[in-house]
Each structure stands twice: as C-alpha cells, then as structure tokens.
C-alpha cells in the first residue's frame, strides 16, 4: 500500500502541525543550534503553512495522533501489517558482569515497539515492479591490482561464497 503525504499528515490538524510534531519527536532530545537548523528544513517544506503555525498546540496534536492510531483505518494499523510487540531491554550496570540474560540482578525496561514482519517487507518489496531492476544472480567479482595480482571482491550478499554455493 503506497502512502501519500495526505496519509502521513491525516492524524494532525494540518500538514504544518504534522511537520512541527515530526521535528519535535525526531533528532535529539535537547534542541540545539543544529536542531534549529533542522527545523528550518521543516519550515521550508512546501506543505508548511506559516499562517497555521500560530494555532499550533502540542497537546491538541498529541491527542489527535493518539486518536488516529486507535482508528482501524490508519495506514499503520495492524490490519495493514503493522504490529506492536513488547521488547525487554537489559540495562547495563557499572562495574558488574552478568552471567546470563536471566540473571535476576539485571535491570530491565519493557518498551512497546511498532514494527512490520521482515517477511512481509521482503514480499512487498519483491511484489513491486521496481524489483525487476534488482540484480539477484550470484557472481564472482575480481579486482586487478596494478601489479597484475587478482583479488576477489566481497561486496553484496549475492556475491558471497554461500550464495554462490547455493546457486
């Protein structure tokens, strides 16, 4: 399913509000000179309308985004092959070694992650007509050095020894 800019900003009151929220939640947590420079990239976007920015409310946009994500029709809903999974992140502790991940003294946090299944991404990519331009036949590549010596080049999966052996 192809996403349009209308789909991306449909959660917000306007594309301008969506661009401001995107800037706010991307980049670093501390806004700096570099972050201000990045903001200029958002404000120079063709969808950014300075007249709408005077009515911007972070709380309102946050609520609209939450409502949008709850709606089954949004393009990021599980019906569109998006999933939520809980991930445990093990936290390191200074000057301490752990014997395994199940060590009870390891601190963990649980985080919900929004993701697609890798196999769905691969299937979707190969269903696209652009994949007809992909080079998938394995081959060996060599570089001839100035001294005449031939060196085998390893660059992509399809030129790996494993791929050549399987093919």
């Amino acid at each position: 399913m192809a996403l349009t800019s209308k789909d991306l900003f449909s959660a917000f009151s306007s594309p301008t509000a969506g661009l401001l929220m995107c800037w706010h939640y991307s980049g670093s947590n501390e806004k700096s000179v570099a972050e201000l420079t990045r903001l200029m990239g958002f404000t120079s976007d063709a969808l950014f309308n300075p007249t709408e920015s005077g009515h911007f409310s972070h709380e309102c946009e946050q609520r609209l985004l939450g409502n949008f994500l709850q709606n089954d029709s949004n393009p990021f809903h599980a019906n569109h092959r998006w999933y939520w999974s809980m991930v445990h992140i093990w936290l390191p502790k200074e000057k301490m070694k752990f014997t395994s991940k199940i060590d009870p003294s390891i601190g963990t946090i649980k985080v919900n992650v929004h993701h697609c299944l890798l196999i769905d991404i691969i299937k979707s990519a190969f269903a696209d007509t652009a994949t007809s331009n992909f080079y998938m036949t394995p081959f060996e590549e060599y570089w001839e050095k100035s001294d005449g010596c031939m060196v085998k080049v390893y660059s992509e999966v399809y030129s790996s020894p494993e791929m050549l052996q399987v093919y």
Side-chain angles (χ1 to χ4, degrees):
M1 174 159 97
L3 294 176
T4 65
S5 60
K6 183 180 177 190
D7 293 326
L8 292 174
F9 296 117
S10 60
F12 303 100
S13 60
S14 68
T16 299
L19 289 167
L20 287 170
M21 292 294 281
C22 182
W23 176 78
H24 178 73
Y25 284 109
S26 62
S28 74
N29 291 335
E30 296 178 17
K31 301 305 178 193
S32 61
V33 172
E35 288 300 303
L36 182 60
T37 303
R38 236 175 41 77
L39 175 60
M40 292 311 300
F42 285 90
T43 59
S44 63
D45 190 289
L47 294 171
F48 187 85
N49 182 349
T51 60
E52 294 173 346
S53 61
H55 307 295
F56 178 77
S57 162
H58 180 271
E59 292 79 21
C60 177
E61 299 304 325
Q62 189 71 30
R63 188 176 60 255
L64 287 171
L65 180 59
N67 293 341
F68 176 79
L69 292 174
Q70 296 301 318
N71 187 335
D72 290 353
S73 66
N74 88 69
F76 304 106
H77 195 268
N79 295 342
H80 301 285
R81 296 187 178 155
W82 284 90
Y83 303 92
W84 282 99
S85 294
M86 184 170 294
V87 177
H88 294 266
I89 300 176
W90 285 267
L91 304 174
K93 193 168 184 181
E94 190 176 13
K95 298 180 183 178
M96 188 166 197
K97 283 187 177 181
F98 300 107
T99 55
S100 72
K101 287 183 180 179
I102 57 173
D103 187 334
S105 62
I106 298 177
T108 63
I109 58 172
K110 296 177 185 175
V111 180
N112 284 320
V113 178
H114 207 185
H115 66 94
C116 285
L117 298 177
L118 183 57
I119 192 68
D120 289 342
I121 294 169
I122 293 168
K123 285 179 183 177
S124 175
F126 279 96
D128 192 334
T129 56
T131 57
S132 62
N133 296 326
F134 288 178
Y135 193 81
M136 297 296 172
T137 305
F139 63 91
E140 292 185 45
E141 189 173 11
Y142 292 89
W143 169 52
E144 186 175 354
K145 294 173 43 177
S146 58
D147 63 1
C149 183
M150 298 294 283
V151 178
K152 188 168 183 174
V153 176
Y154 299 97
S155 62
E156 301 291 339
V157 170
Y158 50 79
S159 66
S160 68
E162 291 81 6
M163 187 74 153
L164 289 164
Q165 184 180 5
V166 170
Y167 190 73

